[in-house]
Amino acid sequence: MPHYKPPVDEAIFLLNDVFGLKALQALPSFVELTADLVEQILIQAAKLCEETLAPLNASGDRIGCVRHADGRVVTPPNFKTAYTAFAEGGWVGLPAPEEYGGQGLPYTLSMLVDEFASSANMALAMYPGLTQGALAALLRHGTHQQKFLYAPKLAQGRWTGTMNLTEPQCGTDLGLLTTKASPRGDGSYSITGQKIFISAGEHDLAENIIHLVLARIDGAPAGVKGISLFIVPKILTNENGELAAQNKVSCGAIEEKMGIHGNATCVMNYDGAQGFLLGEANRGLNAMFVMMNEARLGVAVQGLALSEVAYQNAVSYAKDRLQGRALTGVKNPDKNADPILVHPDVRRMLLEIRSFNEAARALAFSTAIDSDIVHHSNDPQARQAAEDRLGLLTPVMKGVFTDIGFENCVKAQQVFGGHGYIREWGMEQFVRDARISMIYEGANGIQAIDLVGRKLPRDNGRAVMAFFKDAGDVLALHRDNVLMNDYVLPTQTSLDHLQKATVWLMNNAIGNPDNAGAASYDYMHLFGRVALGVMWVRIAHAALIKKSRQPELTQVMDSKLQVGRFYMERMLPETACRLVKISSGASTMMSIPVEMF
Amino acid sequence: MPHYKPPVDEAIFLLNDVFGLKALQALPSFVELTADLVEQILIQAAKLCEETLAPLNASGDRIGCVRHADGRVVTPPNFKTAYTAFAEGGWVGLPAPEEYGGQGLPYTLSMLVDEFASSANMALAMYPGLTQGALAALLRHGTHQQKFLYAPKLAQGRWTGTMNLTEPQCGTDLGLLTTKASPRGDGSYSITGQKIFISAGEHDLAENIIHLVLARIDGAPAGVKGISLFIVPKILTNENGELAAQNKVSCGAIEEKMGIHGNATCVMNYDGAQGFLLGEANRGLNAMFVMMNEARLGVAVQGLALSEVAYQNAVSYAKDRLQGRALTGVKNPDKNADPILVHPDVRRMLLEIRSFNEAARALAFSTAIDSDIVHHSNDPQARQAAEDRLGLLTPVMKGVFTDIGFENCVKAQQVFGGHGYIREWGMEQFVRDARISMIYEGANGIQAIDLVGRKLPRDNGRAVMAFFKDAGDVLALHRDNVLMNDYVLPTQTSLDHLQKATVWLMNNAIGNPDNAGAASYDYMHLFGRVALGVMWVRIAHAALIKKSRQPELTQVMDSKLQVGRFYMERMLPETACRLVKISSGASTMMSIPVEMF
């Protein structure tokens, strides 16, 4: 069975050495935050994830969720106990305001806990993950009364949340959705329609489920401008906010799927269910986007999380498995074979994974700080800059982290040879679970289009120009430091590739939008590689300082520096190739007639 | 449920237009082969695969093989009927000599049929596939009596074959194997030991199973030089060759695994089973390599086969699924959305798959012709040259076709969005099934080491030098043809990258073998991209000629030419990046101490 140890030290290194706690302490809400407190919180979260969530991961996959004939859905054995421990520990509402039952702690911490939980048990972690998204949308768009009624229950994890967008005929193109909302005359609505692929749509973990449902009010305009967002509780509350009548919403089926069997993916039937408008009528997409952006970052973290746990297990196997001899001579003379970690190609696989993991965690961290700035800073300029970065990097992280996260699970599985294909080793589950992250919350091709078609041109390219400036500043800071050359020079080259690709898009996409579409996916990955390169520059600098101050950490920091070098030598060169592909344009692919496919 | 239509036209185009039937007719065994006969054979095979094998693929996955308490293994419903139809059609023994019950037809045809069968139902196709491998080893190394006894039954598919290498402690490193063979005094041996991961190890499809088992004769030298190969029938035969007593071999368990559930992956227990030496004592690896090389090509074809069937289904979905509008304006004004095939990023995914499939099929075809030359040519020089190419390209094809084949299944699944993750659409099965091809018959990292460490230096690099010369000749042939520029120039650039990488290896690997290990995987992929590029040059030339001769095929051939251009623009540029990675050497990855992983 696989094992998992949350990388608390890595998180603390990022906090104290790479970014500095003061980035958070500068925000009025977090002036009292201390390094000790953060460490204690992370250690507690790590303990829960390692000891309570992780042991249920394999059995959760094997047994899965079961729907009974009456529509009830039962989660795998012990999921309820583990979920309850998670909720009662206050982990669901970690970043929520204290006035709504939360802990009032930075989202930055919450994202780290999310990573630990998703590594330990992705299917289980999705229940609180979706709840956090629903809570964010509610806090942003809800009335005072709605917030008062729902937020504390969600923050405490006593109730969970879902997001209901997809219908059979309507996935990416939300304009096609047909679920109806008819006014009941009392200010509420009757919701009727079928939603599919609803994660955590029905289950036995919590007392109630708050569905956020996109629907079209009678007479609303066609397309996306006629969509509204509704709160549809599974169980309606009475005047005192107590649970009362069952609402007319039910789970019609749960999907048989490739992975995340511990999370119920439901067909949800709304048969005149009572719903309450959240935010403005016909502005539902706008409200839902709060939840979606939050969810996209959460999914990006899932990519990292599965990459991390897969890496840890592959390393253990590579140290334990004796097979063959090192090419440079016997390393393990007492045994009849060397551990496979002696083989360069095994190290290549492991380092391709790890050199992503450490930089991706840093980028997630940096983005989470931006989210905290957006929500807590008093400085409008700082908020704006952070919001720009967040908007720009969210699709990059969702697309790149989940693509690479999945590839990394496949690589880690490969380290196991034939054993990787067998259920009992658990590696194939990581691959199956990771696969969904490339698809849901907007398939990665949609992230790429969001980046190129929406985020780049917005505000005349303000966000991307700021990214270039920030990245350039980081590189300039270290340009004269010869110890930093191995990191600064390759990253500068790749940043140039990204800038060239951006100029190419400016010159070629306006006249022919297909050029944007054809370039989008490679551009997203080019962007991701550069952003991770910049993170390695920052990590490398922090590691150099740390080892000069704490010589006892020399070996740890030197290894980190080598992993960073590996990234520069083996991962970053891809940017040149992406630029060539982008510059080839759309004409070849678009010239083939439909019937010739 | 997914559909599948074998690409008979593509196969015939390769045969008649790209390579020419005369390549086969030049061999004494096949002088009478006609284009008509080949076409009839392919049409028959296609019909069987499409109508009988393919419909059982999804149910075979869902139901899987079941082992009963008495050790019997039952294959999924209707597998036996389908297998019997395949065997009775003479498809198992297609390339086997007529004197041993085969059809005496080219391996080239057999490989095409293998592709069709693996696309239709990989798990089912593995039963005859392994039989063909066992048959090849038997025909090469068996005594007259052994051939007479076993070969016709295998060729007719009445009996099936297996290969037994792996043991719990012994995978890649066969020197570690401990299964024992003790002489019984009658010329036969008692085989005792446990083998794991034995595909088709036990089942109900055939009357008997012939296990080829690696074991160590009492007193044999340690390591790989003490390994012998044995024929161990499930049921022993009497003097008349009739089935008699059950041998002491049994299936102890079947593995729960990620995919290919229709094929029983068995733990096989040999408890003093009677075995018969195949080939020379202590030369078992040598004999097994015949089977393994054959099997490696077969696995390469599985990569292509799953990529093809996944492509076909993704294309259908992309034409049917209406979602969003084309970036360049509405294409489908009668409906409320356009088919997703209008989106460049969807085309990108489809063409990345297809531009591989067509070239990979050509390379498989070309390699199959080489195999026919090796087995049937009277010209020792031609045989040697073909054997060199075969040896060089087998690891490249196994590693590259299965890596890309898997990636392509993932891409095709991605085209389906959320539906790709759901069982009923069948796409996730292709991903799970394709995954094993990267692992078995030597994990792809082992293929890379075989290529760099064994195949490159062999005979002072004769094979790779010949490859460079052949590739250079193909390019030179078309250099002055302006219509060929789009294919010749990029391929020349990438061939230069491959040559540079080869020189780098010559200069850097002898002094430090870790440099070879660290480069091997990227080198294998660089090699594969170039070999596929050369295939596209040949396909493009054939397409230009064909459209000039048959103007009614202009649209088909123009599309093919565009797919080839796509390969040149979007797939081939990767070679530059691979060269950079290769040239970075092993020092960074090897410098990290074991305990720092």
Side-chain angles (χ1 to χ4, degrees):
Chain A
M1 210 171 80
H3 60 86
Y4 173 60
K5 188 116 203 128
V8 173
D9 288 353
E10 287 296 314
I12 290 173
F13 172 71
L14 289 175
L15 188 71
N16 290 339
D17 298 289
V18 181
F19 298 102
L21 190 60
K22 61 185 183 307
L24 291 171
Q25 287 166 331
L27 301 170
S29 313
F30 309 128
V31 271
E32 290 173 14
L33 202 69
T34 64
D36 268 359
L37 176 62
V38 169
E39 186 165 346
Q40 282 314 308
I41 290 169
L42 291 178
I43 287 172
Q44 286 306 313
K47 186 175 153 68
L48 180 68
C49 292
E50 182 180 349
E51 295 175 6
T52 307
L53 272 56
L56 304 179
N57 192 41
S59 56
D61 176 63
R62 209 173 51 244
I63 299 165
C65 292
V66 177
R67 179 184 174 277
H68 291 269
D70 60 0
R72 274 184 312 121
V73 171
V74 177
T75 54
N78 301 316
F79 264 43
K80 186 163 183 168
T81 315
Y83 172 78
T84 304
F86 193 87
E88 290 181 352
W91 301 108
V92 183
L94 201 72
E98 290 175 87
E99 66 210 272
Y100 293 114
Q103 307 290 318
L105 284 162
Y107 175 63
T108 306
L109 278 187
S110 181
M111 187 183 256
L112 289 167
V113 176
D114 280 354
E115 186 205 318
F116 299 171
S118 296
S119 287
N121 193 325
M122 175 170 153
L124 179 47
M126 286 172 66
Y127 296 96
L130 284 155
T131 304
Q132 289 171 338
L135 182 55
L138 191 75
L139 291 174
R140 176 81 165 271
H141 292 283
T143 62
H144 178 73
Q145 200 188 1
Q146 286 172 337
K147 289 197 266 193
F148 180 76
L149 178 58
Y150 300 110
K153 298 288 190 353
L154 290 169
Q156 291 158 13
R158 289 178 56 190
W159 299 357
T160 66
T162 71
M163 52 198 296
N164 288 238
L165 291 80
T166 306
E167 300 176 6
Q169 79 296 346
C170 153
T172 298
D173 185 356
L174 289 169
L176 300 177
L177 79 76
T178 59
T179 295
K180 288 196 313 179
S182 307
R184 295 162 77 106
D186 61 355
S188 73
Y189 292 80
S190 272
I191 311 292
T192 303
Q194 188 178 66
K195 296 287 181 178
I196 62 171
F197 302 160
I198 307 309
S199 297
E202 177 58 30
H203 58 77
D204 57 358
L205 299 181
E207 297 161 12
N208 200 6
I209 303 174
I210 305 304
H211 302 290
L212 297 192
V213 182
L214 287 181
R216 203 178 282 287
I217 296 173
D218 296 347
V224 293
K225 289 178 179 165
I227 298 174
S228 305
L229 183 61
F230 296 89
I231 298 168
V232 185
K234 171 181 167 181
I235 303 173
L236 296 161
T237 48
N238 63 19
E239 291 161 350
N240 303 322
E242 293 154 353
L243 294 180
Q246 168 76 37
N247 204 350
K248 288 181 181 157
V249 47
S250 61
C251 166
I254 58 178
E255 303 283 1
E256 278 191 72
K257 54 196 194 296
M258 187 180 192
I260 52 165
H261 294 143
N263 198 283
T265 304
C266 298
V267 174
M268 296 302 298
N269 295 321
Y270 295 86
D271 302 310
Q274 189 172 18
F276 309 94
L277 187 66
L278 179 59
E280 290 176 49
N282 298 336
R283 299 271 295 156
L285 272 196
N286 194 43
M288 188 57 109
F289 264 116
V290 175
M291 184 163 182
M292 276 172 63
N293 278 328
E294 181 112 348
R296 284 175 177 181
L297 282 181
V299 173
V301 170
Q302 288 178 340
L304 163 61
L306 290 200
S307 181
E308 172 67 31
V309 67
Y311 172 78
Q312 291 188 13
N313 284 278
V315 164
S316 300
Y317 190 82
K319 286 179 177 176
D320 289 348
R321 175 74 170 172
L322 305 180
Q323 204 76 187
R325 290 296 190 186
L327 297 168
T328 51
V330 172
K331 294 285 183 288
N332 201 8
D334 302 341
K335 295 282 173 74
N336 58 3
D338 292 335
I340 60 172
L341 187 59
V342 301
H343 301 305
D345 194 58
V346 171
R347 290 182 168 230
R348 172 191 63 77
M349 293 190 272
L350 293 174
L351 290 171
E352 285 180 1
I353 305 174
R354 177 162 160 195
S355 68
F356 163 79
N357 291 355
E358 296 194 14
R361 188 174 296 110
L363 186 57
F365 201 100
S366 157
T367 308
I369 292 176
D370 280 331
S371 175
D372 280 322
I373 292 171
V374 168
H375 289 103
H376 299 281
S377 173
N378 289 330
D379 175 353
Q381 238 178 324
R383 280 207 308 271
Q384 166 119 90
E387 194 147 17
D388 281 355
R389 285 192 294 270
L390 203 54
L392 185 69
L393 287 171
T394 295
V396 173
M397 286 169 56
K398 197 293 188 177
V400 176
F401 285 20
T402 61
D403 273 3
I404 298 184
F406 172 75
E407 281 168 24
N408 286 351
C409 290
V410 172
K411 274 176 203 164
Q413 181 189 26
Q414 190 73 11
V415 171
F416 282 70
H419 298 278
Y421 201 65
I422 304 299
R423 286 251 171 115
E424 67 178 291
W425 288 86
M427 301 305 288
E428 61 92 35
Q429 184 191 346
F430 297 138
V431 173
R432 288 184 290 103
D433 286 356
R435 183 66 185 87
I436 190 58
S437 65
M438 298 158 70
I439 297 173
Y440 62 15
E441 302 306 336
N444 287 353
I446 300 302
Q447 305 299 326
I449 281 289
D450 178 48
L451 173 65
V452 166
R454 207 176 295 159
K455 302 296 171 61
L456 282 194
R458 183 183 279 180
D459 305 312
N460 295 312
R462 188 178 69 206
V464 70
M465 291 306 149
F467 176 86
F468 291 150
K469 181 173 183 313
D470 291 349
D473 287 351
V474 169
L475 298 178
L477 197 62
H478 305 297
R479 191 150 294 145
D480 299 330
N481 181 350
V482 68
L483 294 174
M484 288 294 292
N485 278 355
D486 288 353
Y487 310 94
V488 170
L489 302 180
T491 304
Q492 182 65 58
T493 301
S494 290
L495 179 60
D496 292 346
H497 295 152
L498 180 60
Q499 289 177 308
K500 286 202 179 91
T502 309
V503 170
W504 188 91
L505 278 172
M506 286 165 56
N507 292 337
N508 293 280
I510 295 165
N512 178 6
D514 279 340
N515 278 330
S520 58
Y521 183 78
D522 286 297
Y523 184 84
M524 175 178 78
H525 273 278
L526 168 50
F527 208 120
R529 293 270 151 148
V530 172
L532 294 173
V534 174
M535 288 300 129
W536 267 119
V537 171
R538 298 183 68 166
I539 294 168
H541 184 244
L544 286 168
I545 290 179
K546 189 144 185 111
K547 84 173 191 180
S548 72
R549 290 185 185 157
Q550 293 175 263
E552 72 279 13
L553 292 176
T554 299
Q555 196 181 36
V556 175
M557 292 301 138
D558 277 348
S559 298
K560 202 176 273 297
L561 287 161
Q562 288 299 71
V563 177
R565 260 185 208 102
F566 182 93
Y567 184 86
M568 299 295 154
E569 292 172 356
R570 298 253 171 182
M571 306 300 282
L572 202 49
E574 193 193 280
T575 57
C577 169
R578 298 280 184 186
L579 174 60
V580 172
K581 292 184 191 186
I582 289 164
S583 314
S584 72
S587 60
T588 300
M589 62 175 84
M590 299 315 287
S591 70
I592 301 174
V594 170
E595 62 274 21
M596 287 293 109
F597 274 89
Chain B
M1 210 172 81
H3 60 87
Y4 173 59
K5 187 117 204 129
V8 173
D9 288 353
E10 286 296 315
I12 290 173
F13 173 71
L14 289 174
L15 189 70
N16 291 340
D17 298 289
V18 180
F19 297 103
L21 190 60
K22 61 185 184 306
L24 292 171
Q25 287 165 331
L27 301 170
S29 312
F30 308 127
V31 271
E32 290 171 16
L33 202 69
T34 65
D36 268 1
L37 177 65
V38 169
E39 188 166 347
Q40 283 314 309
I41 290 169
L42 291 177
I43 288 172
Q44 287 306 314
K47 188 175 153 66
L48 181 69
C49 292
E50 182 180 350
E51 296 176 5
T52 306
L53 271 56
L56 304 180
N57 193 41
S59 56
D61 176 63
R62 211 174 50 245
I63 299 165
C65 292
V66 178
R67 179 184 174 278
H68 290 270
D70 60 1
R72 275 184 312 121
V73 171
V74 177
T75 54
N78 301 315
F79 264 43
K80 186 162 184 169
T81 316
Y83 173 78
T84 305
F86 194 86
E88 289 181 352
W91 300 108
V92 184
L94 200 72
E98 290 176 86
E99 66 209 273
Y100 292 114
Q103 307 289 319
L105 284 161
Y107 175 64
T108 307
L109 278 186
S110 180
M111 188 184 256
L112 290 167
V113 176
D114 280 354
E115 186 204 321
F116 298 171
S118 295
S119 287
N121 194 326
M122 175 169 153
L124 179 46
M126 285 172 65
Y127 295 97
L130 284 155
T131 304
Q132 289 170 339
L135 182 54
L138 191 74
L139 290 175
R140 177 80 165 272
H141 291 285
T143 62
H144 178 73
Q145 199 189 2
Q146 286 171 338
K147 289 197 265 193
F148 180 76
L149 179 58
Y150 300 111
K153 297 288 190 350
L154 292 169
Q156 291 157 15
R158 289 178 56 190
W159 298 358
T160 65
T162 71
M163 52 198 296
N164 288 240
L165 291 79
T166 305
E167 300 176 7
Q169 80 295 347
C170 153
T172 297
D173 185 356
L174 290 170
L176 300 176
L177 78 76
T178 58
T179 295
K180 287 196 314 179
S182 307
R184 294 162 76 105
D186 60 356
S188 73
Y189 293 80
S190 273
I191 311 292
T192 302
Q194 188 178 66
K195 297 287 181 176
I196 62 170
F197 302 160
I198 307 308
S199 297
E202 177 57 30
H203 58 79
D204 58 357
L205 299 181
E207 297 161 12
N208 199 7
I209 303 175
I210 305 304
H211 302 289
L212 297 192
V213 183
L214 288 181
R216 204 179 283 285
I217 296 174
D218 297 347
V224 293
K225 291 182 178 161
I227 298 174
S228 305
L229 183 60
F230 296 89
I231 299 168
V232 185
K234 171 182 167 182
I235 303 174
L236 295 161
T237 48
N238 64 20
E239 292 162 350
N240 303 321
E242 292 155 352
L243 295 179
Q246 167 76 38
N247 205 349
K248 288 182 181 156
V249 47
S250 60
C251 166
I254 58 179
E255 303 284 0
E256 278 192 72
K257 54 199 195 295
M258 186 181 193
I260 51 165
H261 294 144
N263 198 283
T265 304
C266 299
V267 174
M268 297 302 298
N269 295 321
Y270 294 87
D271 302 310
Q274 190 173 18
F276 309 94
L277 187 66
L278 178 59
E280 289 175 52
N282 299 336
R283 299 271 296 156
L285 271 196
N286 194 43
M288 188 56 108
F289 264 115
V290 174
M291 184 161 183
M292 277 172 63
N293 278 327
E294 180 112 350
R296 283 175 178 182
L297 282 181
V299 173
V301 169
Q302 288 178 340
L304 163 62
L306 290 201
S307 180
E308 172 67 32
V309 67
Y311 172 79
Q312 291 188 12
N313 284 278
V315 164
S316 300
Y317 190 82
K319 287 179 176 177
D320 289 348
R321 176 74 170 172
L322 305 179
Q323 204 76 187
R325 290 296 190 186
L327 297 167
T328 51
V330 172
K331 295 285 182 289
N332 201 8
D334 301 342
K335 296 281 173 73
N336 59 3
D338 291 336
I340 61 172
L341 188 58
V342 302
H343 301 306
D345 194 58
V346 170
R347 289 182 169 229
R348 173 192 63 77
M349 291 190 272
L350 294 174
L351 290 172
E352 285 180 0
I353 306 174
R354 177 162 160 194
S355 68
F356 164 77
N357 291 354
E358 296 194 14
R361 188 174 295 111
L363 186 56
F365 200 101
S366 156
T367 308
I369 292 175
D370 281 332
S371 175
D372 280 321
I373 292 171
V374 168
H375 289 103
H376 298 281
S377 173
N378 289 331
D379 174 355
Q381 237 177 324
R383 280 207 309 271
Q384 166 119 91
E387 193 146 17
D388 281 355
R389 285 192 294 269
L390 203 55
L392 185 70
L393 287 171
T394 295
V396 173
M397 287 170 55
K398 198 290 187 178
V400 175
F401 285 20
T402 61
D403 273 3
I404 299 184
F406 172 75
E407 282 168 22
N408 285 350
C409 291
V410 172
K411 275 177 202 162
Q413 181 189 26
Q414 190 73 11
V415 171
F416 283 70
H419 299 277
Y421 201 65
I422 305 299
R423 286 252 171 115
E424 67 178 291
W425 288 86
M427 300 305 287
E428 61 92 36
Q429 184 190 345
F430 297 138
V431 173
R432 288 185 291 102
D433 286 355
R435 183 66 185 88
I436 189 59
S437 65
M438 298 158 69
I439 298 173
Y440 62 15
E441 302 307 335
N444 287 354
I446 301 301
Q447 305 298 326
I449 281 289
D450 178 48
L451 172 66
V452 166
R454 206 174 296 159
K455 300 297 171 60
L456 282 194
R458 183 182 279 179
D459 305 312
N460 294 313
R462 188 178 68 207
V464 69
M465 291 307 149
F467 176 87
F468 291 150
K469 181 174 184 314
D470 291 348
D473 288 350
V474 170
L475 298 177
L477 196 63
H478 305 296
R479 191 150 293 146
D480 298 331
N481 182 350
V482 68
L483 294 173
M484 289 293 292
N485 278 355
D486 287 354
Y487 310 94
V488 169
L489 303 180
T491 305
Q492 182 65 60
T493 301
S494 290
L495 179 60
D496 291 346
H497 295 151
L498 179 61
Q499 289 177 308
K500 285 201 180 92
T502 309
V503 169
W504 188 91
L505 278 173
M506 285 164 56
N507 291 337
N508 293 280
I510 295 166
N512 179 5
D514 278 341
N515 278 329
S520 58
Y521 183 79
D522 286 296
Y523 183 83
M524 175 178 78
H525 274 278
L526 168 51
F527 209 120
R529 293 270 150 146
V530 171
L532 294 172
V534 174
M535 288 299 129
W536 266 119
V537 171
R538 298 184 67 167
I539 294 169
H541 185 245
L544 286 168
I545 290 179
K546 189 147 185 107
K547 84 173 190 179
S548 72
R549 290 186 184 157
Q550 292 175 261
E552 72 278 13
L553 291 176
T554 298
Q555 198 181 36
V556 175
M557 292 301 139
D558 277 349
S559 297
K560 201 175 273 299
L561 287 161
Q562 288 299 71
V563 177
R565 261 186 206 102
F566 182 93
Y567 184 86
M568 299 294 154
E569 291 172 354
R570 297 252 172 184
M571 306 300 281
L572 203 48
E574 192 193 281
T575 57
C577 170
R578 297 280 184 185
L579 174 61
V580 172
K581 292 184 190 185
I582 290 165
S583 314
S584 74
S587 60
T588 301
M589 61 175 84
M590 300 315 287
S591 71
I592 301 174
V594 169
E595 61 275 21
M596 287 293 109
F597 275 89

